[in-house]
């Protein structure tokens, strides 16, 4: 039976060998928060909050969401940290970007701390300086409603562009936290970009009809393996008859004559 007039609301979850004990911090159910504009597909606030915690954000930090939709993640961050974080969000849909901006305005957040722009993931660096973001937190397109002709290969390209662009705007040690239906596909891309990211955690999430994953990865500031290989190639290239053009064609890189 449901209790009433209780002094504390505790929740205990037992998952394999782990026991998690929590207490309720808010009165309203986070998953039932409503905004003036709501996108056709919107992440729930409670899941957005969990992703923000996995991002390790704190007061004064800067967060980016390149696929913002209704702006749920950014607005949840502003509320969770009482307006002490800076959020920059984007969406390729003009309607979504305008709607998210209206949601932020309705909640009282000024554009200088919580801004929304209309652009795709390739345009992130136009609005976010390199190595200025502490976290990129987003709900990646699942490929279910993103177009009739869009296949897995199109998503592969989109995800790779997103990760490469995010690497530039993240500070060293900054995190990428994404909700994605194709979790295994994203992890394979992260491995393909070896040296740029370190995968910290992958958590499967049960929804009503899908099993998406929350993937957490950390930017690696220096790719020491690549630096070591390039150093050896640069050093040994002076002892073999290889032109600069041939070297570039083979390794898709330039000879570092300074070293």
């Amino acid at each position: 039976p449901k209790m009433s007039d209780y002094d504390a609301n505790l929740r205990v979850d037992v998952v394999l060998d782990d026991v998690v004990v929590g207490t309720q911090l808010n009165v309203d159910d986070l998953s039932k928060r409503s905004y003036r504009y709501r996108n056709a597909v919107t992440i729930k606030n409670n899941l957005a909050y969990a992703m923000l915690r996995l991002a390790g954000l704190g007061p004064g930090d800067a967060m980016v969401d390149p696929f913002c939709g209704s702006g749920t993640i950014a607005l949840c961050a502003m509320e969770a940290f009482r307006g002490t974080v800076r959020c920059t969000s984007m969406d390729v849909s003009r309607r979504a970007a305008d709607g998210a901006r209206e949601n932020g305005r309705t909640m009282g957040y000024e554009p200088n701390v919580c801004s929304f722009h209309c652009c795709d993931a390739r345009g992130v660096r136009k609005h976010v300086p390199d190595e200025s973001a502490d976290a990129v937190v987003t709900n990646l397109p699942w490929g279910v409603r993103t177009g009739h002709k869009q296949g897995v290969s199109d998503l592969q390209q989109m995800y790779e562009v997103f990760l490469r662009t995010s690497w530039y705007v993240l500070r060293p040690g900054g995190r990428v936290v994404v909700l994605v239906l194709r979790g295994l596909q994203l992890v394979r891309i992260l491995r393909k970009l070896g040296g740029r990211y370190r995968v910290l955690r992958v958590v499967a999430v049960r929804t009503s009809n899908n099993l998406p994953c929350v993937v957490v990865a950390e930017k690696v500031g220096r790719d020491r393996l690549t630096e070591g290989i390039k150093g050896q190639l640069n050093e040994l290239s002076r002892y073999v008859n290889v032109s600069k053009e041939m070297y570039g064609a083979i390794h898709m890189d330039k000879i570092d004559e300074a070293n």
Side-chain angles (χ1 to χ4, degrees):
K2 293 185 177 180
M3 296 179 61
S4 59
D5 298 327
Y6 45 79
D7 297 314
N9 185 357
L10 297 177
R11 172 169 174 162
V12 180
D13 291 287
V14 180
V15 182
L16 299 178
D17 296 330
D18 297 323
V19 178
V20 181
V21 181
T23 183
Q24 183 174 336
L25 299 178
N26 53 288
V27 177
D28 300 324
D29 189 339
L30 285 175
S31 66
K32 297 180 180 178
R33 300 281 175 88
S34 60
Y35 301 117
R36 177 169 295 185
Y37 169 79
R38 184 168 289 275
N39 205 29
V41 179
T42 302
I43 186 173
K44 289 187 175 182
N45 289 65
N46 50 0
L47 183 53
Y49 178 76
M51 292 170 65
L52 292 168
R53 294 300 298 266
L54 288 171
L57 284 172
D61 285 346
M63 188 214 77
V64 180
D65 180 1
F67 302 93
C68 69
S70 306
T72 303
I73 294 176
L75 298 177
C76 185
M78 295 299 295
E79 184 175 11
F81 297 100
R82 303 182 186 277
T84 60
V85 294
R86 292 172 288 112
C87 300
T88 305
S89 303
M90 288 134 272
D91 200 282
V92 69
S93 166
R94 172 70 63 182
R95 182 170 179 267
D98 291 344
R101 190 179 302 110
E102 179 62 24
N103 286 339
R105 186 181 300 112
T106 301
M107 295 183 68
Y109 300 126
E110 297 296 330
N112 61 319
V113 293
C114 186
S115 61
F116 297 92
H117 310 274
C118 180
C119 73
D120 63 17
R122 293 169 295 184
V124 170
R125 297 175 73 186
K126 296 179 181 178
H127 304 284
V128 183
D130 287 355
E131 297 194 349
S132 65
D134 297 282
V136 176
V137 185
T138 193
N139 178 14
L140 283 176
W142 290 13
V144 178
R145 299 175 62 95
T146 51
H148 298 293
K149 297 183 180 180
Q150 189 168 33
V152 175
S153 60
D154 298 308
L155 290 173
Q156 174 91 7
Q157 183 179 12
M158 179 193 298
Y159 293 169
E160 187 168 336
V161 168
F162 158 73
L163 288 170
R164 289 182 182 275
T165 305
S166 297
W167 188 88
Y168 284 106
V169 300
L170 279 170
R171 62 169 179 78
R175 293 185 178 182
V176 167
V177 182
V178 298
L179 177 67
V180 59
L181 179 61
R182 294 173 170 85
L184 287 173
Q185 183 183 9
L186 190 72
V187 170
R188 293 189 190 103
I189 298 173
L190 284 166
R191 288 175 175 171
K192 177 182 177 182
L193 300 175
R196 290 176 178 260
Y197 289 102
R198 178 169 54 250
V199 178
L200 299 180
R201 191 171 185 181
V202 180
V203 182
V205 179
R206 180 177 62 85
T207 65
S208 57
N209 56 359
N210 277 306
L211 291 173
C213 292
V214 175
V215 180
V216 185
E218 182 181 75
K219 173 181 175 177
V220 177
R222 294 181 60 186
D223 186 351
R224 297 185 182 276
L225 176 60
T226 299
E227 289 178 358
I229 295 173
K230 290 175 67 174
Q232 294 179 60
L233 291 171
N234 288 331
E235 176 65 25
L236 295 175
S237 63
R238 70 182 68 180
Y239 301 111
V240 294
N241 187 22
V242 179
S243 67
K244 296 179 182 179
E245 292 75 18
M246 180 62 72
Y247 181 95
I250 295 173
H251 302 292
M252 299 180 67
D253 195 51
K254 297 180 180 179
I255 296 178
D256 187 359
E257 297 179 335
N259 297 316

